[in-house]
Amino acid sequence: MKATLILANGSIFSGTSIGGTSDRVCEMVFNTAMTGYQEILTDPSYAGQGIVMSYPLIGNYGVNHEDNESGRPWAEAFVVRHLSPRGSNFRCEGTLDDYLKKHDITGIEGVDTRALTKILRSQGSMNGMVTCAEHFNVAEALDKIRTFRVEGTVARVSRKQPEDCPAYGEEKYRVAMMDFGVKQNMIECLRRRGCHVTVFPAFTPAETVLAGHFDGVMLSNGPGDPADNVAIISEVKKLYDSSVPMFAVCLGHQILALATGAKTGRLDYGHRGGNHPVRDIEAGRVFITSQNHGYMVLSDSVDPSVATVSHVNVNDGTCEGLRYQRPNCFTTQFHPEASPGPQDTEYLFDRFIASMGGDQ
């Protein structure tokens, strides 16, 4: 079956249908990772987005239930150059095409993803539509595409009820995880370090969290524009004003920055992939990181009496982390739990553990 991708700038790409066949209007973004397509699809940070994989061969090791980062995939659409017809892996439980069909994710194969990525990189991420219709009105499609906006995504992806995740082995600390769209391996990284993790819905009042007398609070990753989360920002400010150790990642990093007076802005095309170099200023080292975000904290908006920039992106100099003057509080834009992906920055979980033990 034929499939067509239409971009907001009027570009049209033809290909073959894979996965579901429903029309999908979404924000089109590109990811440069060579592996990890299942983790990408199930990352709640991709809610409301269509993913263009720049690497040309996708699906060659199939899918399996162990690699999911959440209970379901969140991507709206999936665009690849070539989809492997079978998965070759001793853990393989099925093909990627069947997985896309099962979850009604509309996809398109046979697209020149290099040309498509160049458009999104030079002109910025933009809305698009994937359709399997034989005939469609381009003008009507463009009207739908250009008026589309991703909204309310944190409420969609967050848990509705608290969930307890016991530590592996001896329990050393109790951590409250604010679920803005948390990836499962973020929880696992804490559990492996002896933390009992209680995962709270995104809109849980700060008073409820603080009443639990946790050893630390972590703010998770998540989708969308951080500035849209006005109610959450207000509650996070209360958590910050307490003395509880805090660690925040991605959207959590942005929300805490907004809660403490800094500003955020939109990146032209975002950082998405597993090969982004980041300099840890304090350590004087560069680490390869996994990233997935379309917004950033504006470095010049950070009050030095509140926080200092601790990490910077080597490619474009944007803020990748903040070290707060308030004791035991730091944040990162990139994903230290990256799975799959570089594990260079898992040391940040060890830093968080140390901060809960009173050693910042």
Side-chain angles (χ1 to χ4, degrees), residues 72-88:
R72 52 158 284 190
W74 290 99
E76 294 288 332
F78 200 57
V79 183
V80 300
R81 176 65 177 137
H82 177 69
L83 182 73
S84 178
R86 67 184 184 92
S88 179

PDB file of all heavy atoms in Angstrom, residues 72-88:
ATOM      1  N   ARG A  72       3.468   1.285  26.842  1.00  0.00           N
ATOM      2  CA  ARG A  72       2.970   1.332  25.464  1.00  0.00           C
ATOM      3  C   ARG A  72       3.831   2.288  24.653  1.00  0.00           C
ATOM      4  O   ARG A  72       4.530   3.130  25.212  1.00  0.00           O
ATOM      5  CB  ARG A  72       1.527   1.816  25.444  1.00  0.00           C
ATOM      6  CG  ARG A  72       1.314   3.114  26.211  1.00  0.00           C
ATOM      7  CD  ARG A  72       0.084   3.862  25.779  1.00  0.00           C
ATOM      8  NE  ARG A  72       0.284   4.537  24.506  1.00  0.00           N
ATOM      9  CZ  ARG A  72      -0.580   5.416  23.992  1.00  0.00           C
ATOM     10  NH1 ARG A  72      -1.702   5.703  24.629  1.00  0.00           N
ATOM     11  NH2 ARG A  72      -0.343   6.008  22.839  1.00  0.00           N
ATOM     12  N   PRO A  73       3.813   2.164  23.325  1.00  0.00           N
ATOM     13  CA  PRO A  73       4.514   3.160  22.498  1.00  0.00           C
ATOM     14  C   PRO A  73       3.712   4.455  22.449  1.00  0.00           C
ATOM     15  O   PRO A  73       2.487   4.447  22.521  1.00  0.00           O
ATOM     16  CB  PRO A  73       4.586   2.501  21.121  1.00  0.00           C
ATOM     17  CG  PRO A  73       3.464   1.526  21.103  1.00  0.00           C
ATOM     18  CD  PRO A  73       3.269   1.058  22.511  1.00  0.00           C
ATOM     19  N   TRP A  74       4.434   5.598  22.312  1.00  0.00           N
ATOM     20  CA  TRP A  74       3.787   6.904  22.335  1.00  0.00           C
ATOM     21  C   TRP A  74       3.910   7.666  21.026  1.00  0.00           C
ATOM     22  O   TRP A  74       3.212   8.639  20.802  1.00  0.00           O
ATOM     23  CB  TRP A  74       4.365   7.746  23.471  1.00  0.00           C
ATOM     24  CG  TRP A  74       3.953   7.243  24.808  1.00  0.00           C
ATOM     25  CD1 TRP A  74       4.691   6.453  25.651  1.00  0.00           C
ATOM     26  CD2 TRP A  74       2.704   7.450  25.467  1.00  0.00           C
ATOM     27  NE1 TRP A  74       3.983   6.161  26.782  1.00  0.00           N
ATOM     28  CE2 TRP A  74       2.758   6.768  26.711  1.00  0.00           C
ATOM     29  CE3 TRP A  74       1.545   8.151  25.136  1.00  0.00           C
ATOM     30  CZ2 TRP A  74       1.702   6.758  27.610  1.00  0.00           C
ATOM     31  CZ3 TRP A  74       0.491   8.150  26.023  1.00  0.00           C
ATOM     32  CH2 TRP A  74       0.570   7.459  27.244  1.00  0.00           C
ATOM     33  N   ALA A  75       4.819   7.236  20.157  1.00  0.00           N
ATOM     34  CA  ALA A  75       5.003   7.934  18.884  1.00  0.00           C
ATOM     35  C   ALA A  75       3.744   7.830  18.031  1.00  0.00           C
ATOM     36  O   ALA A  75       3.038   6.810  18.049  1.00  0.00           O
ATOM     37  CB  ALA A  75       6.187   7.349  18.128  1.00  0.00           C
ATOM     38  N   GLU A  76       3.450   8.881  17.282  1.00  0.00           N
ATOM     39  CA  GLU A  76       2.284   8.901  16.405  1.00  0.00           C
ATOM     40  C   GLU A  76       2.589   8.267  15.043  1.00  0.00           C
ATOM     41  O   GLU A  76       1.729   7.609  14.454  1.00  0.00           O
ATOM     42  CB  GLU A  76       1.813  10.344  16.192  1.00  0.00           C
ATOM     43  CG  GLU A  76       1.283  11.025  17.439  1.00  0.00           C
ATOM     44  CD  GLU A  76      -0.076  10.491  17.860  1.00  0.00           C
ATOM     45  OE1 GLU A  76      -0.838  10.034  16.988  1.00  0.00           O
ATOM     46  OE2 GLU A  76      -0.360  10.520  19.063  1.00  0.00           O
ATOM     47  N   ALA A  77       3.804   8.499  14.546  1.00  0.00           N
ATOM     48  CA  ALA A  77       4.168   8.021  13.216  1.00  0.00           C
ATOM     49  C   ALA A  77       5.646   7.641  13.220  1.00  0.00           C
ATOM     50  O   ALA A  77       6.417   8.095  14.074  1.00  0.00           O
ATOM     51  CB  ALA A  77       3.889   9.090  12.165  1.00  0.00           C
ATOM     52  N   PHE A  78       6.034   6.817  12.225  1.00  0.00           N
ATOM     53  CA  PHE A  78       7.398   6.296  12.178  1.00  0.00           C
ATOM     54  C   PHE A  78       7.835   6.282  10.712  1.00  0.00           C
ATOM     55  O   PHE A  78       7.156   5.711   9.857  1.00  0.00           O
ATOM     56  CB  PHE A  78       7.427   4.894  12.769  1.00  0.00           C
ATOM     57  CG  PHE A  78       8.778   4.436  13.218  1.00  0.00           C
ATOM     58  CD1 PHE A  78       9.508   5.162  14.145  1.00  0.00           C
ATOM     59  CD2 PHE A  78       9.316   3.254  12.738  1.00  0.00           C
ATOM     60  CE1 PHE A  78      10.748   4.717  14.586  1.00  0.00           C
ATOM     61  CE2 PHE A  78      10.552   2.807  13.160  1.00  0.00           C
ATOM     62  CZ  PHE A  78      11.274   3.545  14.093  1.00  0.00           C
ATOM     63  N   VAL A  79       8.994   6.902  10.442  1.00  0.00           N
ATOM     64  CA  VAL A  79       9.471   7.063   9.071  1.00  0.00           C
ATOM     65  C   VAL A  79      10.859   6.455   8.944  1.00  0.00           C
ATOM     66  O   VAL A  79      11.774   6.827   9.702  1.00  0.00           O
ATOM     67  CB  VAL A  79       9.509   8.556   8.669  1.00  0.00           C
ATOM     68  CG1 VAL A  79       9.935   8.702   7.212  1.00  0.00           C
ATOM     69  CG2 VAL A  79       8.149   9.217   8.910  1.00  0.00           C
ATOM     70  N   VAL A  80      11.036   5.532   7.992  1.00  0.00           N
ATOM     71  CA  VAL A  80      12.328   4.859   7.831  1.00  0.00           C
ATOM     72  C   VAL A  80      12.686   4.760   6.349  1.00  0.00           C
ATOM     73  O   VAL A  80      11.819   4.843   5.465  1.00  0.00           O
ATOM     74  CB  VAL A  80      12.310   3.442   8.443  1.00  0.00           C
ATOM     75  CG1 VAL A  80      12.010   3.499   9.931  1.00  0.00           C
ATOM     76  CG2 VAL A  80      11.318   2.528   7.732  1.00  0.00           C
ATOM     77  N   ARG A  81      13.969   4.575   6.126  1.00  0.00           N
ATOM     78  CA  ARG A  81      14.439   4.328   4.756  1.00  0.00           C
ATOM     79  C   ARG A  81      14.144   2.886   4.366  1.00  0.00           C
ATOM     80  O   ARG A  81      13.571   2.617   3.319  1.00  0.00           O
ATOM     81  CB  ARG A  81      15.949   4.614   4.664  1.00  0.00           C
ATOM     82  CG  ARG A  81      16.581   4.293   3.314  1.00  0.00           C
ATOM     83  CD  ARG A  81      16.027   5.184   2.238  1.00  0.00           C
ATOM     84  NE  ARG A  81      16.676   4.950   0.952  1.00  0.00           N
ATOM     85  CZ  ARG A  81      16.030   4.880  -0.202  1.00  0.00           C
ATOM     86  NH1 ARG A  81      14.718   5.010  -0.235  1.00  0.00           N
ATOM     87  NH2 ARG A  81      16.676   4.693  -1.321  1.00  0.00           N
ATOM     88  N   HIS A  82      14.575   1.959   5.217  1.00  0.00           N
ATOM     89  CA  HIS A  82      14.339   0.536   4.936  1.00  0.00           C
ATOM     90  C   HIS A  82      13.978  -0.163   6.236  1.00  0.00           C
ATOM     91  O   HIS A  82      14.688  -0.044   7.235  1.00  0.00           O
ATOM     92  CB  HIS A  82      15.581  -0.111   4.317  1.00  0.00           C
ATOM     93  CG  HIS A  82      15.425  -1.585   4.073  1.00  0.00           C
ATOM     94  ND1 HIS A  82      14.574  -2.091   3.109  1.00  0.00           N
ATOM     95  CD2 HIS A  82      15.984  -2.660   4.681  1.00  0.00           C
ATOM     96  CE1 HIS A  82      14.637  -3.423   3.131  1.00  0.00           C
ATOM     97  NE2 HIS A  82      15.478  -3.790   4.074  1.00  0.00           N
ATOM     98  N   LEU A  83      12.875  -0.903   6.224  1.00  0.00           N
ATOM     99  CA  LEU A  83      12.438  -1.679   7.381  1.00  0.00           C
ATOM    100  C   LEU A  83      12.809  -3.136   7.162  1.00  0.00           C
ATOM    101  O   LEU A  83      12.397  -3.748   6.172  1.00  0.00           O
ATOM    102  CB  LEU A  83      10.929  -1.551   7.567  1.00  0.00           C
ATOM    103  CG  LEU A  83      10.355  -2.288   8.774  1.00  0.00           C
ATOM    104  CD1 LEU A  83      10.727  -1.572  10.064  1.00  0.00           C
ATOM    105  CD2 LEU A  83       8.834  -2.418   8.660  1.00  0.00           C
ATOM    106  N   SER A  84      13.594  -3.678   8.079  1.00  0.00           N
ATOM    107  CA  SER A  84      13.992  -5.080   7.959  1.00  0.00           C
ATOM    108  C   SER A  84      12.755  -5.975   8.037  1.00  0.00           C
ATOM    109  O   SER A  84      11.931  -5.815   8.939  1.00  0.00           O
ATOM    110  CB  SER A  84      14.967  -5.446   9.081  1.00  0.00           C
ATOM    111  OG  SER A  84      15.323  -6.818   9.006  1.00  0.00           O
ATOM    112  N   PRO A  85      12.612  -6.928   7.113  1.00  0.00           N
ATOM    113  CA  PRO A  85      11.427  -7.794   7.116  1.00  0.00           C
ATOM    114  C   PRO A  85      11.419  -8.819   8.243  1.00  0.00           C
ATOM    115  O   PRO A  85      10.393  -9.436   8.526  1.00  0.00           O
ATOM    116  CB  PRO A  85      11.482  -8.476   5.750  1.00  0.00           C
ATOM    117  CG  PRO A  85      12.932  -8.472   5.394  1.00  0.00           C
ATOM    118  CD  PRO A  85      13.494  -7.198   5.960  1.00  0.00           C
ATOM    119  N   ARG A  86      12.561  -9.023   8.880  1.00  0.00           N
ATOM    120  CA  ARG A  86      12.614  -9.967   9.997  1.00  0.00           C
ATOM    121  C   ARG A  86      13.612  -9.474  11.027  1.00  0.00           C
ATOM    122  O   ARG A  86      14.476  -8.643  10.735  1.00  0.00           O
ATOM    123  CB  ARG A  86      13.000 -11.374   9.520  1.00  0.00           C
ATOM    124  CG  ARG A  86      14.431 -11.492   8.987  1.00  0.00           C
ATOM    125  CD  ARG A  86      14.685 -12.888   8.446  1.00  0.00           C
ATOM    126  NE  ARG A  86      16.079 -13.044   8.011  1.00  0.00           N
ATOM    127  CZ  ARG A  86      17.063 -13.499   8.788  1.00  0.00           C
ATOM    128  NH1 ARG A  86      16.797 -13.852  10.039  1.00  0.00           N
ATOM    129  NH2 ARG A  86      18.293 -13.619   8.328  1.00  0.00           N
ATOM    130  N   GLY A  87      13.492  -9.985  12.233  1.00  0.00           N
ATOM    131  CA  GLY A  87      14.409  -9.617  13.303  1.00  0.00           C
ATOM    132  C   GLY A  87      15.351 -10.759  13.625  1.00  0.00           C
ATOM    133  O   GLY A  87      14.906 -11.900  13.824  1.00  0.00           O
ATOM    134  N   SER A  88      16.642 -10.479  13.659  1.00  0.00           N
ATOM    135  CA  SER A  88      17.643 -11.503  13.943  1.00  0.00           C
ATOM    136  C   SER A  88      18.287 -11.204  15.288  1.00  0.00           C
ATOM    137  O   SER A  88      19.162 -10.340  15.397  1.00  0.00           O
ATOM    138  CB  SER A  88      18.712 -11.527  12.834  1.00  0.00           C
ATOM    139  OG  SER A  88      19.699 -12.497  13.111  1.00  0.00           O
TER     140      SER A  88
END
